[in-house]
Amino acid sequence: MTKIITAEVPLVGLSLGTASIKITTNGFVGEACKDATKQFQDALGVVLDDQETQEMYETEEGVERLREGG
Amino acid sequence: MSHIVTIKTELKDHDLLKEAVNALNDKAKAANTPQLEILPASKHHLFSGDQVGLGIRLPGWNYPVVIDEQGVVKYDNYGGSWGKQIELDRLVQEYSLEALEREARTQGYFTDRVETEAGAIKLDMKSVSG
C-alpha cells in the first residue's frame, strides 16, 4: 500500500497564529503513522494538537486479525 | 487517514528562510511584482527600536521583519498600515513548504503541491517504496 502524508498549509493567518498547518497520514499501520510524522513536526515547529483517529485503531485490529488467521 | 497533527511553524532555520525568500522572488520575477530583500544578520532599525537578527524586507513594508536565532519574529507594521500582513503570511507559508519538502526528500518521498482555496497549498508526500 502506498504511504501518503498530506500537509495542508494555509496562507491567511499563518504569521499571526490564527491559522495552522494540518498533517494527515494515509496507508500507515497503527503507530507507524506517528513515527512517520515526527520528523515533519520537528522540521516545522510546535505541535498544537495531535489526534489519533478511529481509523488508526481499526487498521491495527485488521492487521491483528490477519496475523491470527495466517 | 489515521492520524492528524496540527502544527505552528517556527522560523528557526535561517538558511531555509533564505531559500524561502529566493523561491518567493522567483515567483515575483515571473509575475513582475515587487521582490523581498534579505538584509545582513545584524542590527536592524524598527519604529520602536533596534532588533538583532536576520532581516527581511517584505514588499511594501516600511520596516524589515527581524528573525532571531530562536526563530522569534519581530516586526512593526502598525496593524497593517505600514505593511500588509499577507506578505508575512506568504513568507511563513513558503518556509513551511520548503521545510516539509526538504524533510520529504530526506525520507525518500515524492512531493506535489496543489493550490487550494484562499491561497492555501496542499502538499502530498508519497513514499517511493510504496
Side-chain angles (χ1 to χ4, degrees):
Chain A
M1 187 181 209
T2 302
K3 296 179 177 69
I4 303 173
I5 299 172
T6 300
E8 294 171 50
V9 186
L11 175 63
V12 179
L14 202 53
S15 63
L16 290 173
T18 54
S20 52
I21 296 164
K22 187 189 288 185
I23 294 180
T24 57
T25 59
N26 200 327
F28 292 85
V29 176
E31 294 284 331
C33 60
K34 283 192 163 184
D35 297 335
T37 55
K38 175 74 170 63
Q39 299 303 318
F40 292 99
Q41 295 166 24
D42 292 345
L44 286 174
V46 181
V47 174
L48 302 175
D49 188 42
D50 190 343
Q51 292 179 15
E52 297 172 0
T53 64
Q54 186 61 35
E55 288 90 338
M56 179 174 167
Y57 297 104
E58 286 172 359
T59 304
E60 277 189 313
E61 288 168 9
V63 170
E64 283 305 308
R65 277 199 295 272
L66 283 172
R67 282 177 186 157
E68 286 168 10
Chain B
M1 186 188 308
S2 57
H3 187 227
I4 301 172
V5 184
T6 307
I7 303 166
K8 181 180 184 294
T9 303
E10 292 179 329
L11 307 179
K12 286 183 176 176
D13 188 328
H14 284 191
D15 289 334
L16 203 57
L17 262 172
K18 291 172 186 173
E19 286 181 30
V21 169
N22 290 336
L24 288 173
N25 280 345
D26 286 344
K27 292 177 191 172
K29 280 179 204 166
N32 199 25
T33 55
Q35 296 181 33
L36 295 80
E37 182 185 359
I38 298 172
L39 306 172
S42 60
K43 189 161 70 177
H44 301 281
H45 178 67
L46 277 64
F47 178 79
S48 53
D50 292 339
Q51 297 292 339
V52 176
L54 178 70
I56 298 175
R57 191 174 293 283
L58 300 173
W61 279 51
N62 291 11
Y63 298 97
V65 171
V66 182
I67 301 126
D68 70 16
E69 292 291 335
Q70 284 72 46
V72 177
V73 183
K74 294 173 181 170
Y75 62 92
D76 193 351
N77 69 341
Y78 198 49
S81 297
W82 295 342
K84 292 179 181 173
Q85 196 72 33
I86 195 75
E87 300 295 345
L88 184 53
D89 286 337
R90 283 197 183 93
L91 178 62
V92 178
Q93 184 190 48
E94 187 60 37
Y95 176 94
S96 304
L97 289 163
E98 296 279 342
L100 288 165
E101 287 172 339
R102 185 173 70 177
E103 186 57 37
R105 283 195 297 273
T106 302
Q107 293 194 33
Y109 285 82
F110 288 120
T111 63
D112 183 39
R113 291 189 190 193
V114 178
E115 186 164 343
T116 59
E117 75 285 351
I121 305 282
K122 185 165 82 76
L123 179 67
D124 281 330
M125 298 170 276
K126 296 182 183 178
S127 68
V128 176
S129 58

